[in-house]
Amino acid sequence: MMSILTSAVDPIVQITKDGIIQLVNAACCKVFMYLENELVGQNVKILMPAEHANYHDSYLNNYITTGVKKVLGVGRKLRGRRSDGSTFSLYLTLSEAKIDQDIFFTGILRDLSAEEQENERMLAILTSAVDPIVQINERGIIQLVNPACCNVFQYQDSGLVGQNVKILMPAEHANVHDSYLKNYLTTGVKKVLGIGRKLRGRRKDGTMFALYLTLSEAKIDSRTLFTGIMRDLSAEEQEQERMMSILSSAVDPIVQINEKGIIQMVNNACCQVFKYQDVDLVGQNVKILMPEEHASQHDSYLENYVTTGIKKVLGVGRKLRGRK
């Protein structure tokens, strides 16, 4: 039994009902940076920061007196104190053993220093990220936001953490978000996870703006967390609006089509010259604006360019006929 304790990779410490250390293994000495003879015979408070050490004797005495178990058999995250005074994160599981009339408590610890350092590293990355980042739990409650998120949505982090993420959405999204979350957790069917999409965000002052959201999922123990990375499209949206105003006010007709010849946009001058409303043109093939001699060949011209990349008319002005 002693060889098992000695060779265990996790720190182990055993104390009496008075809190006096009876046994420590090599892993415990290594983690807390003590020699074995510096620990055995000492009160276990030597391994605790003041906020725990100040109350430990009373906790022990209360259990011995009442028998009410508060921490026995329950793992919990605490902080430990090394011989140099530095503290670190650990996970403690405590058990009790009665030998004749004596009571002993054995603590098995897991050093969380590496995890804590990784968490700090990841937090530093999140904090310095230029894109807004928000993390929520399975109920939609915000767990973490970075400064960029606060800046874009015009909140302090304290005004967001603990709130439902719906606070960042316009009503049309907010009203259905809880049901979307519940449906995913119930069915496991992914509809938006891993897929970027364009949405609207809602600032603290109630104003809306365009954003691009990419959503990912992480499972930590029994918890499910969702992390959203956003890109603020306000500048792009304003530029598009500016360009649209220029196009709309242009005196010459302007039409934009996609690679299939479908009209995506027309300006007012185009509608006026061709005698259409914009709703009658957008979504139609541009051939609607051509006489038959051009219209019958336009699809093949487009297909040939998209296939070969050979430019025959791009960048070259020419005289044609239009059809009203």
Side-chain angles (χ1 to χ4, degrees):
M1 180 67 72
M2 184 60 70
S3 64
I4 295 174
L5 293 175
T6 303
S7 61
V9 295
D10 286 328
I12 298 174
V13 58
Q14 186 180 75
I15 64 172
T16 67
K17 61 181 175 57
D18 298 314
I20 304 303
I21 297 173
Q22 299 297 292
L23 174 151
V24 290
N25 67 347
C28 185
C29 294
K30 182 179 179 181
V31 167
F32 286 93
M33 296 168 29
Y34 281 98
L35 296 175
E36 181 182 2
N37 59 16
E38 293 175 322
L39 289 177
V40 174
Q42 297 293 320
N43 193 296
V44 73
K45 294 187 294 185
I46 195 175
L47 302 179
M48 304 174 188
E51 59 267 27
H52 299 313
N54 293 339
Y55 300 101
H56 191 260
D57 286 345
S58 63
Y59 289 158
L60 259 181
N61 185 59
N62 183 66
Y63 170 66
I64 298 298
T65 304
T66 66
V68 178
K69 297 180 180 180
K70 294 184 178 180
V71 297
L72 281 172
V74 181
R76 58 176 181 159
K77 192 174 179 181
L78 296 169
R79 296 205 61 85
R81 183 179 184 275
R82 302 184 183 96
S83 64
D84 64 1
S86 62
T87 63
F88 65 101
S89 182
L90 60 85
Y91 190 83
L92 170 68
T93 304
L94 199 61
S95 62
E96 177 186 15
K98 293 184 179 180
I99 303 174
D100 296 328
Q101 300 299 313
D102 294 321
I103 299 175
F104 297 95
F105 301 97
T106 302
I108 301 176
L109 297 77
R110 184 159 61 90
D111 181 6
L112 300 180
S113 298
E115 290 92 330
E116 189 172 47
Q117 289 171 2
E118 179 63 14
N119 288 339
E120 290 174 354
R121 188 180 72 85
M122 291 303 298
L123 189 58
I125 293 172
L126 292 175
T127 300
S128 60
V130 295
D131 287 328
I133 298 174
V134 59
Q135 187 179 76
I136 64 171
N137 65 13
E138 65 275 6
R139 292 183 293 111
I141 304 302
I142 296 172
Q143 307 296 294
L144 174 151
V145 290
N146 70 340
C149 183
C150 296
N151 185 46
V152 166
F153 286 94
Q154 302 176 350
Y155 281 94
Q156 299 292 320
D157 60 355
S158 59
L160 290 176
V161 174
Q163 298 293 320
N164 193 296
V165 73
K166 294 186 294 186
I167 196 175
L168 303 179
M169 304 175 188
E172 60 267 26
H173 298 314
N175 293 339
V176 292
H177 189 259
D178 285 345
S179 62
Y180 287 160
L181 257 183
K182 184 178 180 182
N183 182 66
Y184 169 67
L185 293 171
T186 304
T187 66
V189 177
K190 298 179 180 180
K191 294 184 178 179
V192 297
L193 282 172
I195 301 172
R197 58 177 181 158
K198 192 174 179 181
L199 297 170
R200 308 282 302 168
R202 183 179 184 275
R203 300 185 184 95
K204 185 178 181 180
D205 63 5
T207 57
M208 309 297 176
F209 67 100
L211 60 86
Y212 189 83
L213 171 69
T214 305
L215 198 62
S216 62
E217 176 187 17
K219 292 186 182 293
I220 302 173
D221 297 326
S222 60
R223 300 178 66 205
T224 301
L225 298 173
F226 301 96
T227 302
I229 301 177
M230 295 167 275
R231 184 158 60 89
D232 181 5
L233 301 180
S234 299
E236 290 92 330
E237 189 173 49
Q238 290 170 1
E239 179 62 16
Q240 288 174 358
E241 290 174 355
R242 188 181 73 84
M243 291 303 297
M244 187 60 71
S245 67
I246 292 173
L247 294 174
S248 298
S249 60
V251 296
D252 289 327
I254 298 174
V255 60
Q256 185 182 71
I257 65 171
N258 65 14
E259 71 279 3
K260 296 180 181 178
I262 305 302
I263 297 172
Q264 307 296 294
M265 187 213 81
V266 291
N267 69 344
N268 294 332
C270 183
C271 294
Q272 185 176 358
V273 167
F274 286 93
K275 299 182 178 178
Y276 281 97
Q277 298 292 319
D278 59 354
V279 295
D280 297 325
L281 290 176
V282 174
Q284 298 294 319
N285 194 295
V286 72
K287 294 185 294 185
I288 196 175
L289 303 179
M290 304 175 187
E292 179 59 27
E293 61 267 27
H294 298 313
S296 60
Q297 299 176 339
H298 190 261
D299 285 344
S300 62
Y301 289 159
L302 256 183
E303 184 179 357
N304 182 67
Y305 169 68
V306 171
T307 303
T308 67
I310 298 174
K311 298 179 181 179
K312 293 184 178 180
V313 296
L314 283 173
V316 180
R318 60 178 180 156
K319 190 175 180 180
L320 296 170
R321 306 242 0 130
R323 182 178 182 275
K324 296 176 180 173

